[in-house]
Amino acid sequence: HERNLNTDVLLGLLSVTLPLRQKAAVEKSLPPLKLVVMSATLRVEDFTENKRLFPHKSPAVVMVPGRTHPVSIHHSKFTELDDYEKVALDKVCKIHRKLPAGGILVFLTGKQEI
């Protein structure tokens, strides 16, 4: 979802792999590597203008417009530090009981909590 160190490492590995794979494809020892990158947040120019990834020409870019939906935001008045997961669950249950049907998105701090 977000650019982080893993994304940068992956792009670095691809910048080495793509030219090697292209050379292998020309020599007919391996088929060409086809790469598809999808992202809602990637700065396209930073990616397509990377001369290590694309030394000869920039790749084709397909832009798909996004959709927006009406959203209402609910915050707790106080931040619970000890058991915020339970407080978040209670808030979700309250929203579910009192508001019309719809999706509920809760942001937690890490993978462990989710």
Short mmCIF file of all heavy atoms in Angstrom, two decimals, residues 25-93:
data_model
loop_
_atom_site.label_atom_id
_atom_site.label_comp_id
_atom_site.label_asym_id
_atom_site.label_seq_id
_atom_site.Cartn_x
_atom_site.Cartn_y
_atom_site.Cartn_z
N ALA A 25 16.89 -12.78 -22.99
CA ALA A 25 15.84 -12.94 -24.00
C ALA A 25 16.40 -12.75 -25.40
O ALA A 25 16.03 -13.47 -26.33
CB ALA A 25 14.72 -11.96 -23.73
N VAL A 26 17.31 -11.79 -25.55
CA VAL A 26 17.95 -11.56 -26.86
C VAL A 26 18.77 -12.79 -27.25
O VAL A 26 18.78 -13.20 -28.42
CB VAL A 26 18.83 -10.29 -26.81
CG1 VAL A 26 19.71 -10.19 -28.05
CG2 VAL A 26 17.95 -9.06 -26.67
N GLU A 27 19.44 -13.39 -26.27
CA GLU A 27 20.24 -14.60 -26.53
C GLU A 27 19.38 -15.85 -26.63
O GLU A 27 19.89 -16.94 -26.87
CB GLU A 27 21.27 -14.78 -25.41
CG GLU A 27 22.29 -13.66 -25.34
CD GLU A 27 23.10 -13.69 -24.06
OE1 GLU A 27 22.79 -14.50 -23.15
OE2 GLU A 27 24.05 -12.90 -23.96
N LYS A 28 18.09 -15.70 -26.39
CA LYS A 28 17.11 -16.79 -26.46
C LYS A 28 17.34 -17.89 -25.41
O LYS A 28 16.94 -19.02 -25.59
CB LYS A 28 17.05 -17.39 -27.86
CG LYS A 28 16.71 -16.36 -28.93
CD LYS A 28 15.95 -16.99 -30.05
CE LYS A 28 15.71 -16.04 -31.20
NZ LYS A 28 14.91 -14.92 -30.97
N SER A 29 18.00 -17.54 -24.31
CA SER A 29 18.19 -18.52 -23.24
C SER A 29 17.03 -18.48 -22.23
O SER A 29 16.81 -19.46 -21.52
CB SER A 29 19.52 -18.31 -22.53
OG SER A 29 19.59 -17.01 -21.98
N LEU A 30 16.33 -17.37 -22.17
CA LEU A 30 15.16 -17.24 -21.30
C LEU A 30 14.13 -16.38 -22.00
O LEU A 30 14.48 -15.48 -22.76
CB LEU A 30 15.52 -16.56 -19.97
CG LEU A 30 16.33 -17.36 -18.96
CD1 LEU A 30 16.76 -16.46 -17.81
CD2 LEU A 30 15.52 -18.52 -18.42
N PRO A 31 12.85 -16.60 -21.72
CA PRO A 31 11.84 -15.71 -22.31
C PRO A 31 11.92 -14.33 -21.66
O PRO A 31 12.41 -14.20 -20.54
CB PRO A 31 10.52 -16.40 -21.99
CG PRO A 31 10.80 -17.29 -20.84
CD PRO A 31 12.25 -17.67 -20.93
N PRO A 32 11.44 -13.29 -22.33
CA PRO A 32 11.49 -11.95 -21.72
C PRO A 32 10.63 -11.89 -20.47
O PRO A 32 9.64 -12.60 -20.34
CB PRO A 32 10.95 -11.03 -22.81
CG PRO A 32 10.29 -11.91 -23.80
CD PRO A 32 10.84 -13.29 -23.65
N LEU A 33 11.05 -11.06 -19.55
CA LEU A 33 10.30 -10.86 -18.31
C LEU A 33 9.31 -9.73 -18.53
O LEU A 33 9.67 -8.64 -18.95
CB LEU A 33 11.26 -10.49 -17.17
CG LEU A 33 10.64 -10.24 -15.81
CD1 LEU A 33 10.00 -11.52 -15.27
CD2 LEU A 33 11.69 -9.74 -14.84
N LYS A 34 8.07 -10.01 -18.28
CA LYS A 34 7.02 -8.98 -18.40
C LYS A 34 6.66 -8.53 -17.00
O LYS A 34 6.33 -9.34 -16.15
CB LYS A 34 5.82 -9.52 -19.14
CG LYS A 34 6.19 -9.94 -20.55
CD LYS A 34 5.01 -10.29 -21.37
CE LYS A 34 5.51 -10.87 -22.67
NZ LYS A 34 5.13 -10.14 -23.80
N LEU A 35 6.73 -7.25 -16.79
CA LEU A 35 6.51 -6.68 -15.47
C LEU A 35 5.28 -5.79 -15.48
O LEU A 35 5.15 -4.91 -16.33
CB LEU A 35 7.76 -5.86 -15.07
CG LEU A 35 7.71 -5.11 -13.76
CD1 LEU A 35 7.61 -6.08 -12.59
CD2 LEU A 35 8.94 -4.24 -13.63
N VAL A 36 4.37 -6.03 -14.55
CA VAL A 36 3.19 -5.19 -14.39
C VAL A 36 3.22 -4.64 -12.97
O VAL A 36 3.29 -5.41 -12.01
CB VAL A 36 1.88 -5.98 -14.62
CG1 VAL A 36 0.67 -5.11 -14.34
CG2 VAL A 36 1.85 -6.55 -16.02
N VAL A 37 3.19 -3.34 -12.84
CA VAL A 37 3.19 -2.69 -11.53
C VAL A 37 1.87 -1.95 -11.39
O VAL A 37 1.50 -1.18 -12.27
CB VAL A 37 4.37 -1.70 -11.39
CG1 VAL A 37 4.30 -0.97 -10.06
CG2 VAL A 37 5.69 -2.43 -11.54
N MET A 38 1.17 -2.21 -10.31
CA MET A 38 -0.10 -1.52 -10.05
C MET A 38 0.00 -0.81 -8.71
O MET A 38 0.46 -1.40 -7.74
CB MET A 38 -1.25 -2.52 -10.03
CG MET A 38 -1.47 -3.20 -11.36
SD MET A 38 -2.94 -4.24 -11.40
CE MET A 38 -2.54 -5.50 -10.23
N SER A 39 -0.40 0.45 -8.71
CA SER A 39 -0.35 1.20 -7.48
C SER A 39 -1.30 2.38 -7.55
O SER A 39 -1.41 3.03 -8.59
CB SER A 39 1.07 1.70 -7.22
OG SER A 39 1.09 2.56 -6.09
N ALA A 40 -1.96 2.66 -6.46
CA ALA A 40 -2.82 3.84 -6.39
C ALA A 40 -2.03 5.05 -5.91
O ALA A 40 -2.49 6.18 -6.05
CB ALA A 40 -3.99 3.57 -5.44
N THR A 41 -0.84 4.83 -5.37
CA THR A 41 -0.10 5.94 -4.76
C THR A 41 1.27 6.18 -5.38
O THR A 41 1.93 7.14 -5.02
CB THR A 41 0.09 5.67 -3.26
OG1 THR A 41 0.79 4.44 -3.08
CG2 THR A 41 -1.25 5.61 -2.54
N LEU A 42 1.70 5.35 -6.30
CA LEU A 42 3.02 5.49 -6.90
C LEU A 42 3.11 6.78 -7.72
O LEU A 42 2.20 7.09 -8.49
CB LEU A 42 3.30 4.30 -7.81
CG LEU A 42 4.64 4.26 -8.53
CD1 LEU A 42 5.75 3.95 -7.54
CD2 LEU A 42 4.62 3.23 -9.64
N ARG A 43 4.19 7.53 -7.54
CA ARG A 43 4.42 8.69 -8.40
C ARG A 43 4.96 8.16 -9.72
O ARG A 43 6.10 7.70 -9.81
CB ARG A 43 5.40 9.66 -7.74
CG ARG A 43 4.78 10.37 -6.55
CD ARG A 43 5.60 11.54 -6.10
NE ARG A 43 7.02 11.28 -6.05
CZ ARG A 43 7.80 11.42 -4.99
NH1 ARG A 43 7.27 11.85 -3.86
NH2 ARG A 43 9.08 11.18 -5.03
N VAL A 44 4.14 8.19 -10.73
CA VAL A 44 4.42 7.53 -12.01
C VAL A 44 5.74 8.01 -12.61
O VAL A 44 6.54 7.20 -13.10
CB VAL A 44 3.25 7.75 -13.00
CG1 VAL A 44 3.56 7.17 -14.35
CG2 VAL A 44 1.98 7.14 -12.43
N GLU A 45 6.00 9.30 -12.58
CA GLU A 45 7.21 9.84 -13.19
C GLU A 45 8.48 9.29 -12.52
O GLU A 45 9.46 8.99 -13.20
CB GLU A 45 7.23 11.37 -13.14
CG GLU A 45 6.14 12.03 -13.93
CD GLU A 45 4.79 12.02 -13.21
OE1 GLU A 45 4.75 11.93 -11.96
OE2 GLU A 45 3.77 12.07 -13.92
N ASP A 46 8.46 9.17 -11.21
CA ASP A 46 9.63 8.63 -10.50
C ASP A 46 9.94 7.22 -10.98
O ASP A 46 11.09 6.81 -11.06
CB ASP A 46 9.39 8.60 -8.99
CG ASP A 46 9.38 9.98 -8.37
OD1 ASP A 46 9.71 10.96 -9.07
OD2 ASP A 46 9.04 10.08 -7.18
N PHE A 47 8.91 6.48 -11.28
CA PHE A 47 9.08 5.09 -11.69
C PHE A 47 9.46 5.00 -13.16
O PHE A 47 10.45 4.37 -13.52
CB PHE A 47 7.78 4.33 -11.42
CG PHE A 47 7.86 2.88 -11.71
CD1 PHE A 47 8.61 2.03 -10.91
CD2 PHE A 47 7.18 2.33 -12.79
CE1 PHE A 47 8.68 0.68 -11.18
CE2 PHE A 47 7.25 0.99 -13.07
CZ PHE A 47 8.01 0.16 -12.26
N THR A 48 8.70 5.65 -14.03
CA THR A 48 8.92 5.49 -15.48
C THR A 48 10.19 6.18 -15.96
O THR A 48 10.75 5.79 -16.98
CB THR A 48 7.73 6.04 -16.28
OG1 THR A 48 7.53 7.41 -15.95
CG2 THR A 48 6.47 5.24 -15.99
N GLU A 49 10.66 7.20 -15.25
CA GLU A 49 11.87 7.90 -15.65
C GLU A 49 13.13 7.32 -15.02
O GLU A 49 14.21 7.90 -15.15
CB GLU A 49 11.74 9.39 -15.33
CG GLU A 49 10.65 10.06 -16.16
CD GLU A 49 10.36 11.48 -15.74
OE1 GLU A 49 11.10 12.03 -14.90
OE2 GLU A 49 9.38 12.05 -16.26
N ASN A 50 13.01 6.18 -14.37
CA ASN A 50 14.16 5.50 -13.77
C ASN A 50 14.98 4.84 -14.88
O ASN A 50 14.57 3.83 -15.45
CB ASN A 50 13.67 4.47 -12.76
CG ASN A 50 14.78 3.76 -12.04
OD1 ASN A 50 15.86 3.55 -12.58
ND2 ASN A 50 14.51 3.38 -10.81
N LYS A 51 16.13 5.41 -15.19
CA LYS A 51 16.96 4.92 -16.30
C LYS A 51 17.61 3.57 -16.00
O LYS A 51 18.01 2.86 -16.91
CB LYS A 51 18.03 5.95 -16.67
CG LYS A 51 17.45 7.22 -17.24
CD LYS A 51 16.64 6.94 -18.48
CE LYS A 51 16.01 8.19 -19.04
NZ LYS A 51 14.98 7.94 -20.00
N ARG A 52 17.73 3.21 -14.74
CA ARG A 52 18.27 1.87 -14.42
C ARG A 52 17.24 0.80 -14.73
O ARG A 52 17.57 -0.29 -15.19
CB ARG A 52 18.71 1.79 -12.96
CG ARG A 52 19.95 2.65 -12.73
CD ARG A 52 20.74 2.23 -11.56
NE ARG A 52 21.20 0.85 -11.69
CZ ARG A 52 21.67 0.15 -10.69
NH1 ARG A 52 21.75 0.68 -9.50
NH2 ARG A 52 22.07 -1.08 -10.86
N LEU A 53 15.97 1.09 -14.45
CA LEU A 53 14.92 0.13 -14.76
C LEU A 53 14.61 0.10 -16.25
O LEU A 53 14.38 -0.95 -16.83
CB LEU A 53 13.63 0.48 -14.00
CG LEU A 53 13.51 -0.01 -12.57
CD1 LEU A 53 12.25 0.55 -11.95
CD2 LEU A 53 13.53 -1.51 -12.48
N PHE A 54 14.60 1.26 -16.86
CA PHE A 54 14.19 1.39 -18.26
C PHE A 54 15.23 2.22 -19.02
O PHE A 54 15.01 3.40 -19.28
CB PHE A 54 12.80 2.04 -18.35
CG PHE A 54 11.80 1.42 -17.41
CD1 PHE A 54 11.39 2.07 -16.27
CD2 PHE A 54 11.30 0.15 -17.67
CE1 PHE A 54 10.49 1.49 -15.40
CE2 PHE A 54 10.39 -0.44 -16.81
CZ PHE A 54 9.99 0.24 -15.67
N PRO A 55 16.37 1.63 -19.36
CA PRO A 55 17.46 2.41 -19.97
C PRO A 55 17.17 2.92 -21.38
O PRO A 55 17.71 3.93 -21.79
CB PRO A 55 18.64 1.44 -19.97
CG PRO A 55 18.04 0.08 -19.90
CD PRO A 55 16.73 0.23 -19.18
N HIS A 56 16.34 2.24 -22.14
CA HIS A 56 16.13 2.61 -23.54
C HIS A 56 14.89 3.45 -23.76
O HIS A 56 14.93 4.43 -24.48
CB HIS A 56 16.09 1.36 -24.41
CG HIS A 56 17.34 0.53 -24.26
ND1 HIS A 56 18.58 0.99 -24.63
CD2 HIS A 56 17.53 -0.71 -23.75
CE1 HIS A 56 19.49 0.06 -24.36
NE2 HIS A 56 18.87 -0.99 -23.82
N LYS A 57 13.78 3.06 -23.17
CA LYS A 57 12.56 3.84 -23.33
C LYS A 57 11.65 3.60 -22.12
O LYS A 57 11.71 2.55 -21.48
CB LYS A 57 11.83 3.50 -24.62
CG LYS A 57 11.27 2.09 -24.69
CD LYS A 57 10.48 1.89 -25.97
CE LYS A 57 9.77 0.55 -25.90
NZ LYS A 57 8.84 0.37 -26.98
N SER A 58 10.85 4.59 -21.84
CA SER A 58 9.92 4.48 -20.71
C SER A 58 8.83 3.47 -21.03
O SER A 58 8.42 3.33 -22.18
CB SER A 58 9.27 5.84 -20.43
OG SER A 58 10.23 6.75 -19.97
N PRO A 59 8.34 2.78 -20.03
CA PRO A 59 7.30 1.78 -20.26
C PRO A 59 5.95 2.43 -20.54
O PRO A 59 5.74 3.61 -20.24
CB PRO A 59 7.26 1.00 -18.94
CG PRO A 59 7.68 2.00 -17.93
CD PRO A 59 8.71 2.86 -18.61
N ALA A 60 5.06 1.65 -21.08
CA ALA A 60 3.69 2.12 -21.29
C ALA A 60 3.01 2.27 -19.93
O ALA A 60 3.24 1.48 -19.02
CB ALA A 60 2.93 1.12 -22.16
N VAL A 61 2.18 3.27 -19.81
CA VAL A 61 1.45 3.52 -18.57
C VAL A 61 -0.03 3.54 -18.89
O VAL A 61 -0.47 4.21 -19.82
CB VAL A 61 1.86 4.87 -17.95
CG1 VAL A 61 1.01 5.18 -16.73
CG2 VAL A 61 3.34 4.86 -17.59
N VAL A 62 -0.79 2.78 -18.13
CA VAL A 62 -2.24 2.77 -18.26
C VAL A 62 -2.81 3.39 -16.98
O VAL A 62 -2.55 2.89 -15.89
CB VAL A 62 -2.78 1.33 -18.44
CG1 VAL A 62 -4.29 1.33 -18.48
CG2 VAL A 62 -2.18 0.69 -19.68
N MET A 63 -3.53 4.46 -17.14
CA MET A 63 -4.12 5.13 -15.98
C MET A 63 -5.61 4.75 -15.91
O MET A 63 -6.32 4.87 -16.91
CB MET A 63 -4.01 6.65 -16.11
CG MET A 63 -2.58 7.14 -16.24
SD MET A 63 -1.66 7.04 -14.71
CE MET A 63 -2.19 8.50 -13.91
N VAL A 64 -6.03 4.29 -14.77
CA VAL A 64 -7.43 3.94 -14.55
C VAL A 64 -7.96 4.89 -13.49
O VAL A 64 -7.43 4.93 -12.38
CB VAL A 64 -7.57 2.47 -14.08
CG1 VAL A 64 -9.02 2.14 -13.79
CG2 VAL A 64 -6.96 1.53 -15.09
N PRO A 65 -8.97 5.67 -13.82
CA PRO A 65 -9.49 6.63 -12.84
C PRO A 65 -10.08 5.91 -11.63
O PRO A 65 -10.68 4.86 -11.75
CB PRO A 65 -10.56 7.42 -13.60
CG PRO A 65 -10.93 6.55 -14.76
CD PRO A 65 -9.73 5.70 -15.08
N GLY A 66 -9.86 6.50 -10.48
CA GLY A 66 -10.40 5.94 -9.25
C GLY A 66 -11.83 6.38 -9.01
O GLY A 66 -12.38 7.22 -9.72
N ARG A 67 -12.43 5.79 -8.02
CA ARG A 67 -13.79 6.16 -7.64
C ARG A 67 -13.76 6.70 -6.21
O ARG A 67 -12.93 6.28 -5.41
CB ARG A 67 -14.71 4.94 -7.68
CG ARG A 67 -14.84 4.34 -9.06
CD ARG A 67 -15.78 3.15 -9.00
NE ARG A 67 -15.29 2.18 -8.03
CZ ARG A 67 -15.24 0.88 -8.24
NH1 ARG A 67 -15.63 0.39 -9.38
NH2 ARG A 67 -14.81 0.06 -7.31
N THR A 68 -14.65 7.59 -5.95
CA THR A 68 -14.78 8.08 -4.57
C THR A 68 -16.18 7.74 -4.07
O THR A 68 -17.13 7.64 -4.85
CB THR A 68 -14.55 9.60 -4.49
OG1 THR A 68 -15.49 10.26 -5.33
CG2 THR A 68 -13.14 9.96 -4.92
N HIS A 69 -16.26 7.56 -2.80
CA HIS A 69 -17.54 7.24 -2.16
C HIS A 69 -17.70 8.17 -0.97
O HIS A 69 -16.71 8.56 -0.33
CB HIS A 69 -17.56 5.78 -1.69
CG HIS A 69 -17.34 4.81 -2.80
ND1 HIS A 69 -18.35 4.42 -3.65
CD2 HIS A 69 -16.23 4.16 -3.23
CE1 HIS A 69 -17.89 3.56 -4.54
NE2 HIS A 69 -16.60 3.39 -4.31
N PRO A 70 -18.92 8.51 -0.63
CA PRO A 70 -19.12 9.36 0.55
C PRO A 70 -18.63 8.64 1.81
O PRO A 70 -18.86 7.44 1.98
CB PRO A 70 -20.63 9.60 0.59
CG PRO A 70 -21.23 8.60 -0.32
CD PRO A 70 -20.18 8.15 -1.28
N VAL A 71 -17.95 9.40 2.64
CA VAL A 71 -17.35 8.83 3.85
C VAL A 71 -17.67 9.73 5.03
O VAL A 71 -17.61 10.95 4.91
CB VAL A 71 -15.81 8.72 3.69
CG1 VAL A 71 -15.15 8.29 4.99
CG2 VAL A 71 -15.45 7.77 2.58
N SER A 72 -18.02 9.14 6.15
CA SER A 72 -18.13 9.91 7.38
C SER A 72 -17.07 9.38 8.34
O SER A 72 -16.83 8.18 8.42
CB SER A 72 -19.53 9.84 7.98
OG SER A 72 -19.97 8.52 8.07
N ILE A 73 -16.44 10.28 9.04
CA ILE A 73 -15.32 9.93 9.92
C ILE A 73 -15.78 10.07 11.37
O ILE A 73 -16.39 11.07 11.75
CB ILE A 73 -14.11 10.83 9.64
CG1 ILE A 73 -13.66 10.65 8.19
CG2 ILE A 73 -12.97 10.52 10.60
CD1 ILE A 73 -12.59 11.61 7.75
N HIS A 74 -15.46 9.06 12.16
CA HIS A 74 -15.82 9.05 13.58
C HIS A 74 -14.54 8.87 14.40
O HIS A 74 -13.77 7.95 14.15
CB HIS A 74 -16.80 7.91 13.90
CG HIS A 74 -18.07 8.01 13.12
ND1 HIS A 74 -19.18 8.63 13.61
CD2 HIS A 74 -18.39 7.59 11.88
CE1 HIS A 74 -20.14 8.59 12.70
NE2 HIS A 74 -19.68 7.96 11.64
N HIS A 75 -14.34 9.74 15.34
CA HIS A 75 -13.18 9.66 16.22
C HIS A 75 -13.67 9.45 17.65
O HIS A 75 -14.75 9.90 18.02
CB HIS A 75 -12.37 10.96 16.20
CG HIS A 75 -11.75 11.25 14.88
ND1 HIS A 75 -10.57 10.68 14.48
CD2 HIS A 75 -12.13 12.04 13.85
CE1 HIS A 75 -10.25 11.12 13.28
NE2 HIS A 75 -11.19 11.94 12.87
N SER A 76 -12.84 8.82 18.45
CA SER A 76 -13.12 8.74 19.88
C SER A 76 -12.71 10.06 20.52
O SER A 76 -11.75 10.70 20.08
CB SER A 76 -12.34 7.59 20.52
OG SER A 76 -12.79 6.37 20.01
N LYS A 77 -13.42 10.46 21.55
CA LYS A 77 -13.08 11.72 22.23
C LYS A 77 -11.79 11.59 23.03
O LYS A 77 -11.07 12.55 23.21
CB LYS A 77 -14.23 12.15 23.14
CG LYS A 77 -15.46 12.58 22.35
CD LYS A 77 -16.57 13.02 23.26
CE LYS A 77 -17.78 13.37 22.41
NZ LYS A 77 -18.94 13.68 23.20
N PHE A 78 -11.53 10.39 23.51
CA PHE A 78 -10.33 10.14 24.31
C PHE A 78 -9.56 8.98 23.70
O PHE A 78 -10.15 8.06 23.14
CB PHE A 78 -10.71 9.82 25.76
CG PHE A 78 -11.52 10.90 26.41
CD1 PHE A 78 -12.90 10.76 26.53
CD2 PHE A 78 -10.92 12.05 26.88
CE1 PHE A 78 -13.66 11.75 27.12
CE2 PHE A 78 -11.68 13.05 27.48
CZ PHE A 78 -13.06 12.90 27.59
N THR A 79 -8.26 9.00 23.85
CA THR A 79 -7.42 7.92 23.33
C THR A 79 -7.08 6.96 24.45
O THR A 79 -6.45 7.34 25.44
CB THR A 79 -6.11 8.49 22.74
OG1 THR A 79 -6.45 9.40 21.70
CG2 THR A 79 -5.24 7.38 22.18
N GLU A 80 -7.52 5.74 24.31
CA GLU A 80 -7.22 4.68 25.28
C GLU A 80 -5.84 4.13 24.97
O GLU A 80 -5.57 3.70 23.85
CB GLU A 80 -8.27 3.58 25.17
CG GLU A 80 -7.98 2.34 25.98
CD GLU A 80 -7.98 2.61 27.47
OE1 GLU A 80 -8.88 3.30 27.97
OE2 GLU A 80 -7.05 2.11 28.14
N LEU A 81 -4.94 4.15 25.93
CA LEU A 81 -3.58 3.69 25.69
C LEU A 81 -3.37 2.22 26.01
O LEU A 81 -2.53 1.57 25.41
CB LEU A 81 -2.59 4.54 26.50
CG LEU A 81 -2.57 6.03 26.14
CD1 LEU A 81 -1.61 6.77 27.04
CD2 LEU A 81 -2.21 6.23 24.69
N ASP A 82 -4.11 1.69 26.97
CA ASP A 82 -3.85 0.33 27.41
C ASP A 82 -4.59 -0.73 26.59
O ASP A 82 -4.02 -1.74 26.23
CB ASP A 82 -4.23 0.17 28.90
CG ASP A 82 -3.34 1.02 29.79
OD1 ASP A 82 -2.14 1.17 29.45
OD2 ASP A 82 -3.84 1.55 30.79
N ASP A 83 -5.85 -0.50 26.28
CA ASP A 83 -6.64 -1.51 25.58
C ASP A 83 -7.40 -0.86 24.42
O ASP A 83 -8.61 -0.95 24.31
CB ASP A 83 -7.61 -2.19 26.56
CG ASP A 83 -8.17 -3.48 26.00
OD1 ASP A 83 -7.70 -3.93 24.94
OD2 ASP A 83 -9.09 -4.05 26.63
N TYR A 84 -6.64 -0.20 23.55
CA TYR A 84 -7.29 0.55 22.47
C TYR A 84 -7.97 -0.36 21.46
O TYR A 84 -8.89 0.05 20.77
CB TYR A 84 -6.32 1.50 21.79
CG TYR A 84 -5.20 0.84 21.04
CD1 TYR A 84 -5.33 0.51 19.70
CD2 TYR A 84 -4.00 0.54 21.68
CE1 TYR A 84 -4.31 -0.10 19.01
CE2 TYR A 84 -2.98 -0.07 21.00
CZ TYR A 84 -3.13 -0.38 19.67
OH TYR A 84 -2.12 -0.99 18.99
N GLU A 85 -7.54 -1.63 21.37
CA GLU A 85 -8.19 -2.56 20.44
C GLU A 85 -9.64 -2.81 20.87
O GLU A 85 -10.54 -2.82 20.04
CB GLU A 85 -7.42 -3.87 20.36
CG GLU A 85 -6.05 -3.69 19.73
CD GLU A 85 -5.03 -4.63 20.33
OE1 GLU A 85 -5.00 -4.74 21.58
OE2 GLU A 85 -4.30 -5.24 19.56
N LYS A 86 -9.86 -3.00 22.18
CA LYS A 86 -11.21 -3.21 22.68
C LYS A 86 -12.05 -1.95 22.48
O LYS A 86 -13.21 -2.03 22.08
CB LYS A 86 -11.20 -3.60 24.16
CG LYS A 86 -12.61 -3.83 24.70
CD LYS A 86 -12.60 -4.16 26.17
CE LYS A 86 -13.98 -4.41 26.73
NZ LYS A 86 -15.07 -3.63 26.21
N VAL A 87 -11.47 -0.79 22.72
CA VAL A 87 -12.19 0.47 22.53
C VAL A 87 -12.57 0.62 21.06
O VAL A 87 -13.68 1.04 20.74
CB VAL A 87 -11.34 1.66 23.02
CG1 VAL A 87 -12.00 2.98 22.68
CG2 VAL A 87 -11.10 1.57 24.52
N ALA A 88 -11.65 0.26 20.15
CA ALA A 88 -11.96 0.33 18.71
C ALA A 88 -13.10 -0.62 18.36
O ALA A 88 -14.01 -0.26 17.61
CB ALA A 88 -10.71 0.00 17.90
N LEU A 89 -13.07 -1.84 18.91
CA LEU A 89 -14.14 -2.81 18.66
C LEU A 89 -15.48 -2.28 19.20
O LEU A 89 -16.50 -2.37 18.52
CB LEU A 89 -13.80 -4.15 19.30
CG LEU A 89 -14.89 -5.21 19.18
CD1 LEU A 89 -15.16 -5.55 17.72
CD2 LEU A 89 -14.49 -6.46 19.96
N ASP A 90 -15.47 -1.71 20.40
CA ASP A 90 -16.70 -1.14 20.96
C ASP A 90 -17.24 -0.03 20.07
O ASP A 90 -18.45 0.07 19.84
CB ASP A 90 -16.45 -0.59 22.37
CG ASP A 90 -16.16 -1.70 23.39
OD1 ASP A 90 -16.44 -2.87 23.08
OD2 ASP A 90 -15.63 -1.38 24.47
N LYS A 91 -16.35 0.80 19.53
CA LYS A 91 -16.76 1.90 18.65
C LYS A 91 -17.38 1.34 17.36
O LYS A 91 -18.40 1.82 16.89
CB LYS A 91 -15.55 2.77 18.32
CG LYS A 91 -15.86 3.99 17.53
CD LYS A 91 -16.58 5.00 18.37
CE LYS A 91 -16.41 6.40 17.83
NZ LYS A 91 -17.14 7.38 18.60
N VAL A 92 -16.78 0.30 16.81
CA VAL A 92 -17.31 -0.32 15.60
C VAL A 92 -18.71 -0.89 15.87
O VAL A 92 -19.63 -0.72 15.07
CB VAL A 92 -16.36 -1.42 15.08
CG1 VAL A 92 -17.04 -2.31 14.05
CG2 VAL A 92 -15.10 -0.80 14.51
N CYS A 93 -18.88 -1.57 17.00
CA CYS A 93 -20.19 -2.14 17.35
C CYS A 93 -21.24 -1.05 17.52
O CYS A 93 -22.38 -1.19 17.07
CB CYS A 93 -20.07 -2.97 18.62
SG CYS A 93 -19.11 -4.48 18.40
#
